[in-house]
Amino acid sequence: MHPTQLEISRRDLLISSAATVAAIGIAGGAAAQASRNEMAYTTKLTFTVNEEGRELDVDNRTTLLDALREHLHLTGTKKGCDHGQCGACTVIIDGRRINSCLTLAIMHEGDAITTIEGLGKPDDLHPMQAAFVKHDGFQCGYCTPGQICSSVAMLAEIQANIPSHVTDNLNAEVAITPVEIRERMSGNICRCGAYSNIVDAIIEVAGTKA
Amino acid sequence: MRPFTYERASSIEAAAKVAASNSQAKFIAGGTNLLDLMKLEIETPAHLIDVNDLGLDKIEATSEGGLRIGALVRNTDLAADETVRRDYGLLSRALVAGASGQLRNKATTAGNLLQRTRCPYFYDTNQPCNKRQPGSGCSAIGGFSRQHAVIGTSDACIATHPSDMAVALRTLDATIESVKGDGSRRSIPIADLHRLPGDTPEIETVLEPGEFITAVLLPRPLGGKHIYRKVRDRASYAFALVSVGAVIQPDGTGRVAVGGIAHKPWRVEAADTELPNGARATSRVLLADARSTGQNRFKIDLVERTLGAVIAAAKG
Amino acid sequence: MQFDTPATTNPIDRLKVIGRPIPRIDGQLKTTGRAMYAYEWHDSNVRCAYGYPLGAAIAKGRIKSMDISAAKKAPGVLAVVTALDAGKRKKGKYNTANLFGGDEVQHYHQAIAVVVAETFEQARAASVLIKVAYTEEKGSFDLKAAMDTAVKPESEQPDSAVGDFEGAFRAAPVVLDETYTTPDQSHSMMEPHASIAAWDGDELTVWTSSQMIDWWRSDLATTLDMDKEKIHLMSPFIGGGFGGKLFLRADAVLAAFGARAAKRPVKVALPRPFLVNNTTHRPATLQRIRIGAERNGKITAIAHESGSGDLPGGGPETAVMQTRLLYAGANRMTAMLLATLDLPEGNAMRAPGEAPGLMALEIAIDEIAERVGIDPVQFRIINDTQVDPEKPERPFSHRDLIGCLKLGAERFGWEGQGRPGSRREGSWLIGTGVAAAFRNNLVMPSGAKVRLDGEGVVTVETDMTDIGTGSYTIIAQTAAEMMGVTIDRVSVHLGDSRFPVSAGSGGQFGANSATSGVYAACVKLREAITQKLGFNSDDVVFENGEVRSGNRSLPLAEAVGPHGLVGEDTMKWGDLSKTHQQSTFGAHFVEVGVDVDTGESRIRRMLAVCAAGRILNPITARSQVIGAMTMGVGAALSEELAVDTRRGYFVNHDLAGYEVPVHADIPHQEVIFMDETDPMSSPMKAKGVGELGLCGVAAAIANAIYNATGVRIRHYPITLDKLIGGLPEVT
């Protein structure tokens, strides 16, 4: 385990005494199995969100999604289901899209996280955000940040030649087609049903990129 | 979700030892199924051992001409691996048929194998479920059971195993490598990893407490056509009603496993030999002891029909 | 303003801003994550505590006791409020089931406690520690079985009859008599119901996710037994509703109780797996349709009967209503029956009545057309009516169903429809289908306040909501058109109970009613400006940021002066909707592929043609329609709340179990709006379109599946298990 985690354990929530903790800190990983009961229910962590370093002291149970929304007030990332069934919580970590509801904040020590707020601002939109506005790729707007984060990372996945369920030939370059986009975006549910417009927006961005 | 303590394991042996000595400990890798279940208190570990830093994220050639897939290789990376795409296309196909892009970016090889059933009664803690609460009864029997198993079931449980990847690994005769709490290592054929429910549906695999999967081994490539056909209500982001994983050679021989119909990826070696005789003959052997609830009766026909499509595609 | 005579020429007709494809004015906020939804409000000076709900574990019975001792002692817990503590409450006017309070359990996952803690994690963990003892009672959960004891609903017109249906049906040379079923459906909006409640003395502020601000405010006051005027309710952004947020829900009530107990602002969101059984749903229906026709295709007899269920005190799903108006036919009857079910509350979901009604009727029309041997587009044209078939003296205000069908058939390439099961591409059986769309046009009183300030900026305030419908944008367009300014000079504030009461969002009445309210307020403001300047009201013109009369003109900012001027009014409706039947019309065309081996149905092409009066903004209107078409795909192919008839609840109560369409299910969608206005409807000459887009879609898909396979399925959703028995054997 990381020694840093011991230093930052919140005293009031420690099960055992500080002295025991310090001793384990010195013993390091080999003693980790013995330290189980001495560890804390909260953890301090440091990560980068939208290129800004952030420090948090969170309940171990805190999902990355709740850390963003409730602790950092970055509420652009949405909670639609909290169970990996809708994609509204999609963020990008080190270039990859994930569901922030199904990962613990404390598992992201040192990670670089990009949320919708980091892609663009109202007066300085990311091309994908601008395309969503132009093509009306949303209605209520609740799934929208997830759709946009997902689509940005999704295009990068195609560029990286990662196959999908609809890829014809596994051993050829993956092409950017509406069918590929639809399959790859299927982890982002839009109950307002803006799918047709979202695909138009993504195709426009993909086209200008190419 | 109950409070838990957390550590990042620094070695495989240490992780296995902690887990073996503490029945309240669980490994966490991708977390996409475990956290889902912890939020509902279906899983209630008091301690989580994060195994993401153990360097188990590599795919390497074996001296036998096969492939060793680290337990922590993400589903996306496994599906995108060039060797897997070229020599084990079935595995790539099965992986990308599952879940969503976001989930595949987190979910790991071992985690995918160990994911738990998606039975809606298992997921609702107000309802009886022998798997969640042994002895409480099975709500799916006599209840909403359209998605449930039609073979290998028991009076205690008719849940299915939800993994697509596992169907491919079963077809390919993969082997699981693991480390036990005492540090000893063993290999488990995929056929033996998952258990049928019997009287103890809460015990889903042969893994011992604390036993840790380190890798999945693929034997030498089989050649042939690799086909994974997943049948579901919506076109994506849904669990299989039925799925068929097959490797079929130009002469029509081959092997086949079926998902969505049992507590484990379903393969009957004797059925493989029927493949040249067509879908009906094969599915007759595969589903010899099938037992439906009525609501899932269609799966028995659907296996045969899907198999027919797969055999036709292999010829085409 | 009272709208009681058909609209004549007015400033809206200039169409400088109205009718233009203007992108949403809230688009930048929504696409950057800056639009703030209910649960997201925060203030650095206020620390909200977290409330987590507990739902009943049984479907019907009484709570014997609740042991909250462990929960109260759990880390971080500030308060636990149980239904027993709250006691039986007066129920809101619009609710059927109680939201919270008392020992009675009326349905599964009815809220019985809220745990308030410092953090979300603590509240959630503590909620599980509450031990509840119940006295379970036998309930009625099976609609088919409950129909035996169903009764005529108390709603105003459960039955209708004109002519001699039975006689005409017996005499008809071609007849159809079939039964259709539609399942319970879930709104499944992406934003779960959520509220933050903050008390200041006896005054309550609530941020919530509501389609109808004033209904919620009234019903919250009733439920909390307090003065409505002491509640301030805000809902500026709503993450979808579809009818699921029309009526006060438990999140607001629990947040209010929790905040009072914890003496802190409290936020509560309904967890997704809890939401489905805790809130409302579209009720399942059993429908029988009988049609008699002449050999020339004329309908002579048509009957539509529907049965549905609800909790005691609830109402029927009015699935027969469109059949009273859609097609001609001298002999007709409709009837509804209502059964008692102890499932969660059935209530409005997008196009209540018409959506499930047309799912059945438009299959029936396809079937009778085939029996007569007439193309289904032509059959519908033959049976068009320009008057209310029950009251021929009452015309439609404007009805162009024929235009929609003809244009749609031309654009879609309908001519190509072959015989059932005749078209195949690889393993796909291909078919096309058509259905008529029909939804009544409702209007609701709607108020607004419009202010023009010394900078020349127009500010609109109304408690109207934007649930994704585009209210912000069309209201801005309306004010800009009326005041003669560009849209960037208009600021719109919605969803706040301090603002004039509006129509709210529901029944596809929102756009037409709310913009009419803004129109009325703008008329008042124009009068105030005209009067202040002493201009001649007969020739005054508001244009290009100026007000002009004769040879005098003045920039608006200067005209109103440094303190600005305000116009406020409410649009009220006369009896034009009584003298004239006001409805919206459309035609849906769909091409499907059905996998010959597996029976999986996938949509290949979709086209909707809509006749819905003036289209205020073709971008947002089109989005309403494609969204509705998407919901129709779900209704046709996958959406069904599975009832456990032993335990009395919806089993698949999350977004994994209840399958709404995903990207891969939806092809590119085409929408055409007929170029029309309806002066009987409002000064905007517009009608609703958001529900019309859903009406008929599922039936068009069902008809296309029949055309593809030759297998007629009358029970939704049309899943592969219902199809494969009728598909060719595998080789």
Side-chain angles (χ1 to χ4, degrees):
Chain A
M1 67 184 291
H2 291 205
T4 50
Q5 283 175 267
L6 294 171
E7 300 156 23
I8 46 71
S9 299
R10 257 172 55 180
R11 252 181 313 168
D12 54 348
L13 283 153
L14 278 175
I15 291 176
S16 76
S17 73
T20 322
V21 173
I24 292 151
I26 296 159
Q33 66 274 23
S35 73
R36 189 165 22 84
N37 295 328
E38 288 76 32
M39 282 183 293
Y41 291 116
T42 65
T43 302
K44 201 161 173 182
L45 83 143
T46 307
F47 52 29
T48 305
V49 182
N50 302 327
E51 299 183 345
E52 194 184 328
R54 306 299 289 252
E55 267 189 37
L56 283 176
D57 190 353
V58 293
D59 188 316
N60 290 349
R61 294 171 290 184
T62 310
T63 60
L64 177 59
L65 173 61
D66 286 329
L68 293 169
R69 284 171 64 83
E70 305 304 324
H71 294 254
L72 299 177
H73 296 312
L74 289 169
T75 54
T77 307
K78 303 302 183 195
K79 185 184 280 191
C81 71
D82 215 16
H83 286 276
Q85 302 164 353
C86 79
C89 66
T90 304
V91 298
I92 305 170
I93 299 191
D94 299 322
R96 286 229 171 154
R97 54 181 171 155
I98 66 157
N99 292 331
S100 61
C101 75
L102 286 187
T103 191
L104 296 170
I106 54 174
M107 294 172 77
H108 293 280
E109 175 67 34
D111 280 353
I113 299 154
T114 302
T115 71
I116 190 69
E117 290 92 345
L119 283 182
K121 297 182 170 56
D123 55 356
D124 182 23
L125 297 179
H126 182 280
M128 192 64 81
Q129 291 168 325
F132 268 64
V133 174
K134 179 180 164 189
H135 291 276
D136 212 38
F138 58 94
Q139 291 174 40
C140 80
Y142 200 75
C143 76
T144 312
Q147 299 275 358
I148 291 172
C149 285
S150 189
S151 56
V152 168
M154 180 274 298
L155 287 179
E157 285 168 14
I158 295 181
Q159 297 267 299
N161 202 32
I162 291 167
S164 87
H165 176 60
V166 298
T167 304
D168 274 339
N169 182 350
L170 285 178
N171 300 303
E173 286 290 310
V174 180
I176 299 179
T177 65
V179 172
E180 280 283 0
I181 291 170
R182 285 182 201 123
E183 163 57 26
R184 289 163 189 270
M185 289 299 293
S186 287
N188 291 88
I189 291 176
C190 171
R191 184 57 159 165
C192 294
Y195 297 133
S196 186
N197 288 352
I198 291 170
V199 172
D200 288 349
I202 296 172
I203 285 173
E204 177 173 303
V205 173
T208 52
K209 252 190 180 173
Chain B
M1 192 186 292
R2 301 215 188 137
F4 57 84
T5 51
Y6 169 85
E7 70 178 289
R8 289 194 188 183
S10 56
S11 77
I12 294 164
E13 290 73 18
K17 199 165 179 185
V18 174
S21 67
N22 179 359
S23 63
Q24 297 291 300
K26 280 249 171 210
F27 302 117
I28 186 163
T32 53
N33 189 215
L34 181 59
L35 289 171
D36 173 31
L37 295 170
M38 284 170 65
K39 288 178 186 191
L40 300 166
E41 299 210 2
I42 295 164
E43 294 277 9
T44 53
H47 183 64
L48 285 184
I49 307 161
D50 183 336
V51 294
N52 282 289
D53 294 343
L54 300 180
L56 296 172
D57 54 355
K58 293 172 191 67
I59 304 171
E60 300 157 324
T62 63
S63 52
E64 292 80 27
L67 220 52
R68 173 178 278 105
I69 302 158
L72 272 285
V73 173
R74 308 287 154 177
N75 288 176
T76 298
D77 297 319
L78 184 54
D81 181 80
E82 278 193 29
T83 311
V84 173
R85 285 156 91 155
R86 190 188 62 223
D87 296 338
Y88 306 94
L90 173 61
L91 179 55
S92 271
R93 290 287 182 203
L95 282 160
V96 295
S100 67
Q102 289 94 316
L103 289 164
R104 293 192 296 269
N105 279 340
K106 279 306 273 185
T108 63
T109 308
N112 189 319
L113 282 173
L114 298 179
Q115 67 181 301
R116 309 199 65 189
T117 185
R118 306 292 164 152
C119 170
Y121 295 103
F122 174 70
Y123 264 79
D124 190 330
T125 49
N126 290 325
Q127 308 304 331
C129 170
N130 287 322
K131 185 183 279 294
R132 179 170 28 76
Q133 201 182 342
S136 61
C138 172
S139 301
I141 296 173
F144 174 55
S145 58
R146 179 173 179 265
Q147 278 130 332
H148 287 73
V150 292
I151 194 152
T153 56
S154 71
D155 291 341
C157 182
I158 58 170
T160 58
H161 194 272
S163 170
D164 291 295
M165 185 194 76
V167 177
L169 293 181
R170 181 70 184 86
T171 313
L172 296 169
D173 274 334
T175 303
I176 312 305
E177 290 187 339
S178 68
V179 174
K180 293 194 201 177
D182 62 5
S184 65
R185 293 176 176 257
R186 68 163 166 165
S187 295
I188 307 166
I190 179 88
D192 299 339
L193 177 69
H194 296 103
R195 296 175 74 258
L196 289 177
D199 294 334
T200 53
E202 72 279 12
I203 305 170
E204 293 168 348
T205 67
V206 298
L207 295 179
E208 292 172 11
E211 189 168 357
F212 179 67
I213 295 178
T214 54
V216 171
L217 243 66
L218 295 180
R220 295 163 70 81
L222 293 166
K225 279 219 173 166
H226 287 224
I227 298 171
Y228 188 75
R229 180 71 166 90
K230 181 172 182 176
V231 183
R232 44 190 162 181
D233 289 322
R234 65 183 181 197
S236 188
Y237 202 18
F239 294 98
L241 292 168
V242 158
S243 70
V244 170
V247 177
I248 299 180
Q249 304 299 336
D251 64 359
T253 63
R255 43 168 87 176
V256 61
V258 180
I261 61 165
H263 201 251
K264 59 191 285 186
W266 193 253
R267 180 158 171 222
V268 176
E269 272 75 359
D272 290 352
T273 59
E274 296 290 340
L275 274 171
N277 302 324
R280 182 151 302 165
T282 309
S283 98
R284 201 169 287 155
V285 178
L286 260 173
L287 301 181
D289 302 311
R291 185 171 67 155
S292 88
T293 62
Q295 282 190 14
N296 62 6
R297 169 79 187 73
F298 74 96
K299 286 193 174 186
I300 297 171
D301 297 331
L302 189 57
V303 167
E304 182 183 325
R305 300 184 71 95
T306 309
L307 206 48
V310 166
I311 293 169
K315 284 181 189 153
Chain C
M1 182 181 286
Q2 175 91 359
F3 183 75
D4 46 18
T5 53
T8 53
T9 303
N10 68 45
I12 295 295
D13 294 318
R14 296 184 290 188
L15 301 182
K16 287 191 169 162
V17 196
I18 283 291
R20 299 291 173 108
I22 294 171
R24 285 171 204 263
I25 62 170
D26 50 340
Q28 276 80 0
L29 289 178
K30 284 182 173 175
T31 55
T32 56
R34 267 71 168 188
M36 205 169 279
Y37 298 79
Y39 199 76
E40 297 165 1
W41 175 85
H42 55 264
D43 180 323
S44 45
N45 298 319
V46 182
R47 275 198 63 210
C48 279
Y50 291 79
Y52 200 88
L54 179 71
I58 63 165
K60 187 174 165 66
R62 301 259 165 199
I63 300 169
K64 259 197 294 205
S65 64
M66 296 180 78
D67 177 1
I68 60 169
S69 53
K72 282 195 100 157
K73 277 185 279 189
V77 170
L78 301 168
V80 179
V81 185
T82 69
L84 302 179
D85 301 335
K88 192 164 168 57
R89 317 297 308 177
K90 245 197 254 167
K91 190 160 58 67
K93 181 180 165 191
Y94 296 98
N95 297 126
T96 303
N98 297 321
L99 295 176
F100 185 58
D103 68 344
E104 188 185 4
V105 174
Q106 298 165 305
H107 63 86
Y108 190 65
H109 274 173
Q110 191 166 25
I112 59 168
V114 60
V115 177
V116 181
E118 287 288 349
T119 71
F120 171 71
E121 293 78 18
Q122 291 167 334
R124 180 177 56 192
S127 73
V128 182
L129 301 176
I130 298 174
K131 293 189 190 71
V132 189
Y134 302 96
T135 310
E136 212 166 339
E137 290 166 26
K138 198 173 170 314
S140 163
F141 309 120
D142 182 342
L143 176 60
K144 254 184 204 146
M147 286 313 296
D148 294 343
T149 53
V151 297
K152 266 192 203 315
E154 285 166 21
S155 55
E156 57 253 54
Q157 290 178 296
D159 297 348
S160 71
V162 173
D164 170 20
F165 169 76
E166 297 289 348
F169 184 70
R170 270 196 306 275
V174 185
V175 294
L176 169 115
D177 181 354
E178 293 290 355
T179 300
Y180 306 83
T181 60
T182 64
D184 296 291
Q185 294 177 339
S186 171
H187 306 85
S188 292
M189 72 297 283
M190 297 315 296
E191 181 205 22
H193 302 73
S195 294
I196 298 177
W199 290 94
D200 181 4
D202 63 350
E203 298 194 355
L204 175 65
T205 302
V206 181
W207 288 264
T208 191
S209 188
S210 157
Q211 297 177 225
M212 306 293 287
I213 299 297
D214 196 57
W215 291 4
W216 278 59
R217 191 181 182 212
S218 302
D219 277 359
L220 186 56
T222 303
T223 308
L224 298 175
D225 193 20
M226 65 184 284
D227 181 359
K228 175 180 171 179
E229 295 308 314
K230 293 194 167 167
I231 297 177
H232 176 200
L233 201 107
M234 283 171 283
S235 197
F237 288 100
I238 299 105
F242 314 111
K245 293 172 181 170
L246 281 170
F247 318 117
L248 179 69
R249 300 300 335 152
D251 53 298
V253 178
L254 296 178
F257 271 101
R260 188 142 62 189
K263 300 185 173 60
R264 281 262 293 277
V266 166
K267 58 204 292 192
V268 176
L270 302 187
R272 180 65 64 175
F274 170 78
L275 184 159
V276 173
N277 284 287
N278 178 258
T279 66
T280 61
H281 66 279
R282 187 201 299 284
T285 64
L286 303 170
Q287 303 181 45
R288 180 187 184 193
I289 296 177
R290 286 173 290 169
I291 302 174
E294 300 285 353
R295 299 222 175 270
N296 63 8
K298 287 259 183 202
I299 293 172
T300 54
I302 184 164
H304 193 161
E305 296 155 88
S306 175
S308 59
D310 202 357
L311 286 165
E317 180 68 26
T318 58
V320 305
M321 299 308 278
Q322 73 288 320
T323 308
R324 300 174 60 176
L325 291 161
L326 186 48
Y327 296 112
N331 306 288
R332 46 204 309 134
M333 67 83 80
T334 65
M336 287 186 280
L337 284 175
L338 177 61
T340 298
L341 285 181
D342 298 299
L343 290 169
E345 174 178 332
N347 218 319
M349 177 168 150
R350 199 174 198 168
E354 278 99 332
L358 285 162
M359 285 168 78
L361 177 64
E362 288 299 285
I363 295 183
I365 293 292
D366 204 63
E367 294 194 79
I368 186 80
E370 187 185 36
R371 290 182 196 188
V372 176
I374 293 177
D375 172 84
V377 170
Q378 196 54 38
F379 184 89
R380 289 176 170 88
I381 290 171
I382 290 170
N383 288 292
D384 187 52
T385 174
Q386 291 294 315
V387 297
D388 178 346
E390 291 178 5
K391 300 186 190 90
E393 69 283 5
R394 185 167 169 261
F396 281 92
S397 60
H398 185 82
R399 170 170 167 137
D400 194 13
L401 176 61
I402 292 179
C404 294
L405 287 162
K406 284 185 168 169
L407 182 61
E410 181 196 320
R411 294 290 179 86
F412 186 78
W414 179 253
E415 291 290 305
Q417 198 201 32
R419 299 189 57 75
S422 66
R423 212 177 130 201
R424 184 164 173 172
E425 291 175 20
S427 64
W428 293 103
L429 302 171
I430 315 291
T432 54
V434 63
F438 174 91
R439 172 74 173 139
N440 276 339
N441 181 58
L442 310 175
V443 285
M444 294 275 281
S446 198
K449 185 159 139 186
V450 183
R451 199 171 108 83
L452 184 60
D453 68 17
E455 305 289 315
V457 172
V458 178
T459 302
V460 184
E461 292 177 338
T462 161
D463 85 351
M464 180 61 190
T465 50
D466 189 331
I467 59 173
T469 39
S471 307
Y472 277 106
T473 309
I474 58 173
I475 283 172
Q477 286 175 275
T478 303
E481 194 77 78
M482 288 300 290
M483 302 313 298
V485 298
T486 51
I487 196 165
D488 59 335
R489 305 298 288 166
V490 183
S491 169
V492 180
H493 301 273
L494 300 181
D496 191 316
S497 63
R498 292 171 301 190
F499 303 155
V501 174
S502 74
S505 299
Q508 79 168 12
F509 50 65
N512 184 38
S513 301
T515 54
S516 293
V518 174
Y519 172 95
C522 287
V523 168
K524 278 274 174 70
L525 177 57
R526 287 165 59 114
E527 284 167 4
I529 295 169
T530 307
Q531 201 174 8
K532 176 170 186 281
L533 298 176
F535 280 12
N536 179 356
S537 61
D538 291 337
D539 74 344
V540 71
V541 176
F542 289 76
E543 204 168 52
N544 301 328
E546 291 184 341
V547 53
R548 203 170 65 234
S549 173
N551 55 6
R552 294 173 61 196
S553 81
L554 216 60
L556 284 174
E558 216 172 295
V560 297
H563 303 297
L565 280 174
V566 174
E568 180 174 347
D569 201 3
T570 294
M571 179 60 80
K572 295 186 180 121
W573 308 95
D575 63 359
L576 285 175
S577 59
K578 295 190 182 70
T579 59
H580 292 75
Q581 176 57 38
Q582 296 187 16
S583 305
T584 59
F585 306 90
H588 289 285
F589 292 82
V590 175
E591 181 178 285
V592 302
V594 179
D595 188 290
V596 69
D597 298 307
T598 64
E600 292 163 292
S601 298
R602 303 288 180 244
I603 312 293
R604 293 159 57 99
R605 290 198 290 143
M606 297 186 92
L607 165 70
V609 186
C610 299
R614 172 175 283 150
I615 297 304
L616 302 175
N617 181 329
I619 292 180
T620 55
R622 180 178 173 280
S623 285
Q624 283 291 289
V625 177
I626 66 168
M629 290 157 79
T630 301
M631 194 174 271
V633 172
L637 300 181
S638 62
E639 291 183 36
E640 174 175 19
L641 286 170
V643 181
D644 187 313
T645 55
R646 308 160 305 173
R647 302 275 298 150
Y649 75 109
F650 299 125
V651 181
N652 51 342
H653 51 77
D654 60 24
L655 286 171
Y658 184 82
E659 291 190 8
V660 303
V662 296
H663 271 278
D665 292 304
I666 304 300
H668 179 75
Q669 295 164 320
E670 297 282 353
V671 180
I672 300 170
F673 293 110
M674 301 301 280
D675 187 9
E676 64 172 42
T677 56
D678 191 339
M680 299 281 184
S681 168
S682 76
M684 304 303 292
K685 303 173 187 171
K687 293 191 277 200
V689 74
E691 298 189 336
L692 176 69
L694 173 60
C695 293
V697 177
I701 294 166
N703 295 338
I705 290 172
Y706 171 71
N707 182 244
T709 62
V711 183
R712 177 65 78 180
I713 305 297
R714 302 183 183 89
H715 307 285
Y716 293 97
I718 306 174
T719 44
L720 58 90
D721 45 314
K722 296 170 188 167
L723 280 171
I724 52 173
L727 297 179
E729 295 228 336
V730 278
T731 46

